[in-house]
Amino acid sequence: MFIPCDRGGDSAAPEFKGFTLLMPAVSVGNVGQLAIDLVISTLDMTKVGYFYTNCLVPMVGNNPYATAEENSTELSINAEVYSLPSKKLVVLQIRSPFIKNKYRPFCETLLAWVKSSKCARVVLLSSSHAYQRDDEQLLGTPLRYLLTPDLEKAVGGRMKELNWKEMEKVAAYPGISDTDKVLHIPGGGITKLLFTESCSEGIQMAVLLKFCSEGDNIPDAFVLVNYLNEWLQLIKSEVSTVRSKWKIPSSWRLLFGNGLPPALF
């Protein structure tokens, strides 16, 4: 459940009515989480609360978006909520893996919060194993999207204008029958469950994902966040300078060390 930062103070709980909720799936390469880091850091979003749940592995650490020594010792936990009212954007960042058999309780709690907070839609950033693509998925872009029926009515035309490619369904019984098709997102964590539950609950949800492999997934995060930006226009960018427009969070220096060029900091 959502717990505002100023729970014991005089400030009222933040309002998210009509906001877009942006969040990652804990999926292969942590691409969604890295992309969310770029959004929070670049837009300088304000932490407004926490998402309390027993479905995630507990963790605590220093402020991942520290900009000075004064705020570097602020603590962060496994699921935090950031907001930017000027863009009607609320972000849930997840920083730890799920506890076994806790996918469904988490999805139920999350969707209940989406309904109670009256968020307009949910955008889930995810990834899937590149090596498990079928023949059709090997063609063209490694980026895919999914829309629930309720969101399809609102933005389906926009996706066609962007020339985006919808996630293909694959054969349920490869080599035996090609007539039965199912949605298959290997390595996608909660992606499929959260999407199908949103379809059933009538929640407007979009899934944006990239096929990738485990390793240095920084480039994948940039590709995915730029894909998101094509649609939501969170920042103004030009193709030639699109990477430099995103602000790298300070925590990446500790996580990736010298793997990042100095120019990116």
Side-chain angles (χ1 to χ4, degrees):
M1 69 183 197
F2 174 70
I3 300 175
C5 285
D6 296 322
R7 189 181 184 189
D10 297 329
S11 301
E15 293 282 341
F16 301 132
K17 184 177 181 180
F19 279 45
T20 294
L21 171 62
L22 180 63
M23 62 172 289
V26 182
S27 51
V28 56
N30 301 313
V31 177
Q33 293 155 291
L34 293 173
I36 293 291
D37 267 352
L38 291 171
V39 171
I40 294 171
S41 181
T42 303
L43 299 181
D44 194 22
M45 298 184 72
T46 302
K47 182 163 66 176
V48 294
Y50 311 89
F51 197 75
Y52 179 75
T53 173
N54 63 357
C55 300
L56 296 167
V57 174
M59 61 79 60
V60 66
N62 287 351
N63 181 7
Y65 312 115
T67 54
E69 186 175 350
E70 290 74 20
N71 64 3
S72 64
T73 56
E74 294 176 4
L75 296 181
S76 63
I77 62 170
N78 55 9
E80 296 183 324
V81 179
Y82 297 78
S83 177
L84 187 63
S86 63
K87 290 186 179 291
K88 280 192 163 289
L89 182 68
V90 57
V91 172
L92 170 62
Q93 176 62 302
I94 300 174
R95 298 194 179 94
S96 69
F98 284 87
I99 294 172
K100 187 177 181 180
N101 298 326
K102 289 289 189 176
Y103 277 10
R104 187 168 294 278
F106 178 84
C107 290
E108 292 172 353
T109 303
L110 176 72
L111 295 181
W113 175 52
V114 169
K115 288 182 177 180
S116 64
S117 62
K118 296 182 171 58
C119 287
R121 60 189 176 188
V122 182
V123 180
L124 181 68
L125 301 186
S126 185
S127 50
S128 183
H129 284 301
Y131 75 90
Q132 288 193 249
R133 289 174 289 177
D134 69 2
D135 290 346
E136 186 178 1
Q137 291 171 338
L138 288 169
L139 301 174
T141 175
L143 295 162
R144 295 292 189 275
Y145 78 92
L146 286 165
L147 299 176
T148 59
D150 289 81
L151 189 55
E152 173 74 38
K153 297 172 185 176
V155 303
R158 177 58 179 155
M159 301 313 189
K160 289 181 173 59
E161 290 175 7
L162 292 170
N163 201 29
W164 281 12
K165 197 167 185 178
E166 189 172 6
M167 183 69 171
E168 303 90 345
K169 290 186 176 181
V170 300
Y173 308 103
I176 300 175
S177 171
D178 293 330
T179 56
D180 295 327
K181 299 279 189 177
V182 295
L183 182 62
H184 186 50
I185 309 176
I190 64 169
T191 305
K192 181 179 177 180
L193 177 60
L194 193 55
F195 178 74
T196 54
E197 288 296 308
S198 295
C199 290
S200 301
E201 296 285 337
I203 290 173
Q204 295 192 15
M205 172 177 281
V207 175
L208 309 187
L209 68 81
K210 184 180 186 298
F211 293 117
C212 67
S213 302
E214 290 280 4
D216 179 0
N217 295 104
I218 294 171
D220 298 306
F222 277 108
V223 171
L224 186 59
V225 78
N226 287 332
Y227 187 52
L228 170 73
N229 198 55
E230 284 183 44
W231 173 29
L232 296 187
Q233 294 294 295
L234 299 176
I235 65 169
K236 294 181 180 179
S237 61
E238 298 176 4
V239 174
S240 60
T241 59
V242 75
R243 173 176 281 211
S244 62
K245 292 288 184 179
W246 297 102
K247 180 182 175 183
I248 306 297
S250 56
S251 56
W252 283 23
R253 297 186 186 183
L254 302 176
L255 182 62
F256 298 108
N258 294 327
L260 285 171
L264 289 181
F265 290 107

